Amino acid sequence: MAHIVSGDSGVHDVVEALRRGDVVGFPTETVYGLAADIRNEAALQRIFSVKGRPTSHPLIVHIADFDQLHDLAVGVSPACLALLEICWPGPLTVVVSAAPHVSRVCTGGRDSVAVRLPAHPLAQMVIRELGAPVAAPSANRFGHVSPTSALHVANDLGDDITLVLDGGPCAVGVESSIVDFSVTPPEILRPGSITAEEIRAILSHHGTDLSTSSHGPSRAPGMMDRHYAPRARLVLHEAGDPLPVDGAPILRFDTNLVDAARHLYERLRELDARNIPLAHVVLPTPSGLGFALRDRLSKAAAGL
Ligand code: AMP
Ligand code: MG
């Protein structure tokens, strides 16, 4: 089982491992990531094999300052930069044109790259000490429930990785919002805790529109039908609907949405830990953070 490390010495250990070309678990404020040095293609390939993720599914690149964005990307628009000035560090990823030197292993063969500057102080320390960005998808097996603690990562990935840096429970709990700036107008590929309303308001100051329906070629793999899924079957209900009285547990995600997001994956994992075959889920209304929760829960509930 992977070794859980913490503090300054933990940061040092995972940076040494990244330098050797290992992949490591590391904390961000959204979910835990499975990180590799972006300069090392063998390490990037290892991310795909450990997760069991198709190599066409691109990885988000995590950076620690704006200089790294300008190194990775070309032609970043003023509207995109204005959005990032407000939302970074934080749970927002942007898809922009990739500089020629960015590994196409990381971009899944595309000429666009997804970039995020995470707010978690340990994530920033790792990237700064390494002196390079890290590519990091969520540190779980492909299609399964995302991890929001170091123990989740160690339990999921077992002996396939050697180290997980413990940064405590994730404050946000759902994956970053993704905005694709490689299309006009930019569009939301994945809803997150930074809402479409907030993003639209910022972009509108720069005369830029925002589309919330995504059909283009960069439709993100996280948008496929089944994802974030526990073994338990989930039956979805709108708030206020009559709930069946069949003895199955009822999970409510319709009040205190910040807490609902923070504990979402832990609660789905708990169903599996208790070998529960079926649970009822009460959805939040579709506004603000409710969009992100409905997105994850409907994918967790989708049939195979
Ligand atoms: P995950 O790594 O599973 O947490 O999800 C990362 C998301 O970012 C996936 O849905 C990716 O498809 C998306 N993504 C990463 N890079 C790109 C890119 N170059 N173009 C479009 N989407 C991307
Ligand atoms: Mg994921």
Side-chain angles (χ1 to χ4, degrees), residues 12-268:
H12 183 75
D13 291 346
V14 303
V15 169
E16 284 303 304
L18 288 166
R19 288 213 172 99
R20 284 195 302 271
D22 282 354
V23 296
V24 298
F26 91 135
T28 82
E29 72 277 25
T30 58
V31 301
Y32 274 69
L34 180 61
D37 185 329
I38 194 185
R39 301 165 297 186
N40 186 327
E41 286 206 333
L44 295 173
Q45 272 151 355
R46 176 109 181 103
I47 289 181
F48 292 98
S49 63
V50 168
K51 277 188 66 97
R53 173 173 169 128
T55 53
S56 59
H57 289 201
L59 307 173
I60 294 177
V61 180
H62 292 68
I63 61 174
D65 58 53
F66 274 78
D67 286 348
Q68 289 176 326
L69 170 70
H70 295 300
D71 180 53
L72 294 165
V74 290
V76 180
S77 69
C80 178
L81 278 178
L83 178 68
L84 297 179
E85 289 285 354
I86 292 170
C87 298
W88 276 3
L92 176 73
T93 298
V94 289
V95 174
V96 288
S97 293
H101 67 85
V102 175
S103 165
R104 268 34 184 184
V105 174
C106 181
T107 68
R110 297 160 199 244
D111 291 328
S112 59
V113 62
V115 187
R116 179 163 100 84
L117 201 169
H120 198 297
L122 293 188
Q124 293 184 7
M125 278 170 74
V126 167
I127 298 161
R128 287 217 180 89
E129 197 169 317
L130 179 67
V134 298
S138 52
N140 53 281
R141 307 282 181 199
F142 184 62
H144 287 217
V145 182
S146 303
T148 50
S149 75
L151 196 58
H152 292 165
V153 180
N155 285 339
D156 283 4
L157 302 180
D159 292 331
D160 284 350
I161 61 171
T162 53
L163 289 178
V164 185
L165 179 60
D166 191 350
C170 297
V172 176
V174 291
E175 296 78 357
S176 58
S177 316
I178 305 180
V179 184
D180 186 354
F181 279 91
S182 74
V183 292
T184 309
E187 65 186 29
I188 301 254
L189 293 183
R190 179 171 72 188
S193 68
I194 297 182
T195 65
E197 293 91 325
E198 292 168 318
I199 295 165
R200 182 173 288 114
I202 297 166
L203 293 181
S204 71
H205 286 297
H206 295 266
T208 298
D209 239 355
L210 177 71
S211 161
T212 47
S213 62
S214 167
H215 307 287
S218 56
R219 193 173 184 277
M223 298 169 77
M224 68 189 190
D225 290 342
R226 187 176 165 86
H227 211 84
Y228 318 109
R231 288 193 309 278
R233 189 162 83 80
L234 303 179
V235 183
L236 305 181
H237 305 273
E238 296 295 338
D241 282 358
L243 291 167
V245 192
D246 56 5
I250 296 168
L251 274 55
R252 303 203 71 110
F253 293 98
D254 57 330
T255 56
N256 193 340
L257 301 195
V258 170
D259 265 5
R262 193 172 289 158
H263 299 294
L264 167 69
Y265 292 128
E266 183 186 301
R267 293 173 75 188
L268 298 185

